[in-house]
Amino acid sequence: MKDLTARFGFLGALSPSVTLALAARAKEMKKQGKDVVSMSVGEPDFDTPRAIKDACIKALNEGKVGYVASSGLPELKEKIVQKFKANGIETSAENIVVSTGAKFALFEAITALCTESDEVVVFAPYWLSYVEMIKASGATVKVVETFLKDGFEPTKEALERAIGENTKLIIVNSPNNPTGAVYSKKTLEMIADVAVSKNIMVLSDEIYEKLIYDSSKPHISIASLNKKIADLTMTVNGFSKAYAMTGWRLGYVNAPLWLLRRISSLQSHATSNATTFVQYAGIAALEGRAGDDVLKMIETFANRRKLICRLLSEIKQIDFCVPSGAFYVLCDVSKTALSADEFAARLLEEKLVVVTPCASFGAPRCIRLSYACDEKAIKTALLRIKQFCEGLNNNEHR
Ligand code: PLP
């Protein structure tokens, strides 16, 4: 059997998504009547803004239910071009593919570029799906560690050490899942300089762009830095996190034409166009028709971030750095002497709190807390985590 999996493609090496499995488990326990508090959720706990839903309903009522151009509605692509312009990225509609979620855009970008014998650099802690997508392309993952003491931003030395003659791609994710780090201009310039000097492509995943809470750390698109890096960069973004549209499955990628053609061909054979009437909702979102709702969401996340960081700072056994973006706090639990997996499993069993252990995010000593849940849940969960940690210490001293 082993021989057969080795013979037939790379997909045998793939692992299922741990985050989705955890969310399912939490739901199951809640159904059994248990008072489970979940801090593992990777999606905003808000409804999609009314104006966006209305645009979709209108499109449906007008019969916008057939196939459209595989790469996306021209009107939506035009809005996306304007959106990228606002980020300082010069592009045009022919450089854009609209896809069923940012996740699929990332998958297409990696698949279009990489193959066996190629190497792809990812910064750990990383979003776990990158690694699986790279494996699916047949390429090899090269991990560059980042550290809490540096705010989880990479250093030039570490990046250069990871690069070899087969390196084809560097994946950048700022604001970052799971660390919440927003890379400084200096860090992005460093990555851009390395990529340009070695002629390596960059895939920039900017899905959390709107969720930023620290005015000293604005979002910067790496492709906006200069023309040379723009020519090497694929930028992915989407609607899931900024507009509470996870279930709508809508994302997009901007890429140099030679690569965009590959992505476009791949999509035309894989999914055809992203759902037609959903694309009309995307137009409404990018036109800013839900601007006030988005601002309210960001403000709510900002308040929760303050709360969770204050409560975490009262737990001696947990180290963390204040996240600048997204809706996660990465917590180092090394001081408890438990691995992240053990910590998460025991916390669920003993205190009914679901957190995400981050071994599959390249951070085996860390758990990720998501604050895409209300303040009451945050307070309850953090109190239980504190009691859990104190219980560990008491047991040790007995
Ligand atoms: N990129 C990152 C870093 C994410 O965390 C996620 C979702 O959790 C995605 C991409 C996928 O976004 P979408 O829902 O648009 O596929």
Side-chain angles (χ1 to χ4, degrees):
M1 195 63 188
K2 225 178 185 181
D3 287 342
L4 285 181
T5 29
R7 251 181 85 195
F8 295 110
F10 314 115
L11 296 188
L14 258 58
S15 317
S17 169
V18 181
T19 42
L20 295 184
L22 267 166
R25 192 156 161 222
K27 265 188 196 151
E28 186 59 35
M29 288 179 80
K30 273 185 195 160
K31 248 195 212 157
Q32 294 165 358
K34 295 196 173 140
D35 175 26
V36 174
V37 184
S38 181
M39 301 215 77
S40 70
V41 182
E43 59 182 334
D45 54 323
F46 303 103
D47 196 2
T48 304
R50 186 74 253 166
I52 295 177
K53 285 184 178 176
D54 284 345
C56 178
I57 292 165
K58 182 166 178 278
L60 271 170
N61 286 338
E62 288 173 354
K64 307 275 177 46
V65 294
Y67 291 133
V68 292
S70 166
S71 64
L73 278 177
E75 306 94 293
L76 176 56
K77 289 193 347 184
E78 223 20 81
K79 297 288 171 207
I80 293 169
V81 167
Q82 296 309 319
K83 189 257 169 295
F84 278 126
K85 273 206 176 124
N87 285 46
I89 301 174
E90 280 306 318
T91 186
S92 68
E94 61 176 355
N95 293 77
I96 310 286
V97 161
V98 178
S99 57
T100 48
K103 199 178 225 176
F104 191 60
L106 291 162
F107 183 82
E108 289 180 305
I110 292 169
T111 311
L113 186 72
C114 300
T115 185
E116 224 176 337
S117 82
D118 291 342
E119 291 177 355
V120 181
V121 170
V122 292
F123 300 111
Y126 43 73
W127 183 48
L128 73 178
S129 292
Y130 300 136
V131 167
E132 304 302 325
M133 291 178 192
I134 295 163
K135 284 196 247 168
S137 77
T140 303
V141 180
K142 281 285 178 186
V143 173
V144 172
E145 300 288 340
T146 67
F147 300 95
L148 195 147
K149 69 175 172 52
D150 303 321
F152 294 112
E153 295 197 43
T155 63
K156 186 173 187 196
E157 298 67 40
L159 176 56
E160 284 185 332
R161 258 199 314 275
I163 288 174
E165 58 185 46
N166 294 327
T167 309
K168 291 284 159 58
L169 181 66
I170 301 169
I171 299 183
V172 175
N173 173 217
S174 172
N176 186 277
N177 176 7
T179 66
V182 176
Y183 288 1
S184 65
K185 188 168 187 206
K186 200 166 149 227
T187 297
L188 291 168
E189 282 171 344
M190 177 278 286
I191 297 169
D193 286 351
V194 171
V196 168
S197 71
K198 307 206 184 269
N199 213 24
I200 296 169
M201 298 294 296
V202 169
L203 175 55
S204 182
D205 176 357
E206 304 183 6
I207 188 88
Y208 291 98
E209 169 191 350
K210 294 266 184 241
L211 304 179
I212 288 202
Y213 318 108
D214 180 350
S215 56
S216 70
K217 279 288 189 77
H219 172 71
I220 298 168
S221 293
I222 191 167
S224 72
L225 292 177
N226 59 62
K227 170 91 173 74
K228 282 184 180 157
I229 189 65
D231 287 344
L232 292 175
T233 302
M234 300 179 276
T235 307
V236 167
N237 211 320
F239 298 81
S240 287
K241 318 289 175 176
Y243 304 98
M245 289 176 69
T246 48
W248 296 67
R249 312 309 304 127
L250 193 63
Y252 50 90
V253 54
N254 173 56
L257 212 47
W258 65 272
L259 203 44
L260 201 284
R261 287 200 187 105
R262 295 187 191 181
I263 294 172
S264 192
S265 299
L266 174 61
Q267 177 157 304
S268 73
H269 296 295
T271 62
S272 301
N273 60 278
T275 306
T276 303
F277 41 87
V278 165
Q279 295 193 49
Y280 286 91
I283 293 173
L286 290 184
E287 279 177 348
R289 282 191 236 165
D292 288 347
D293 297 285
V294 171
L295 286 179
K296 246 183 250 158
M297 252 187 289
I298 296 169
E299 199 186 317
T300 307
F301 277 132
N303 290 335
R304 292 173 183 173
R305 164 186 171 265
K306 253 192 214 152
L307 173 67
I308 197 169
C309 289
R310 180 170 62 72
L311 296 174
L312 272 172
S313 64
E314 291 167 10
I315 306 177
K316 285 199 303 282
Q317 297 85 347
I318 287 181
D319 292 312
F320 70 102
C321 67
V322 176
S324 301
F327 41 71
Y328 309 107
V329 191
L330 194 71
C331 301
D332 186 324
V333 297
S334 310
K335 283 182 185 157
T336 65
L338 298 178
S339 72
D341 283 346
E342 288 165 338
F343 187 100
R346 283 187 55 185
L347 186 67
L348 181 56
E349 197 183 307
E350 296 170 30
K351 297 286 178 194
L352 301 176
V353 178
V354 190
V355 298
T356 306
C358 288
S360 51
F361 289 69
R365 290 157 168 263
C366 294
I367 57 164
R368 188 193 71 179
L369 303 186
S370 157
Y371 48 95
C373 53
D374 61 29
E375 293 202 354
K376 183 165 166 266
I378 293 173
K379 284 180 187 159
T380 308
L382 269 287
L383 179 63
R384 292 184 191 176
I385 293 172
K386 188 165 191 249
Q387 289 167 344
F388 175 71
C389 289
E390 286 169 355
L392 291 173
N393 267 18
N394 288 344
N395 290 342
E396 253 168 42
H397 294 145
R398 253 178 229 154

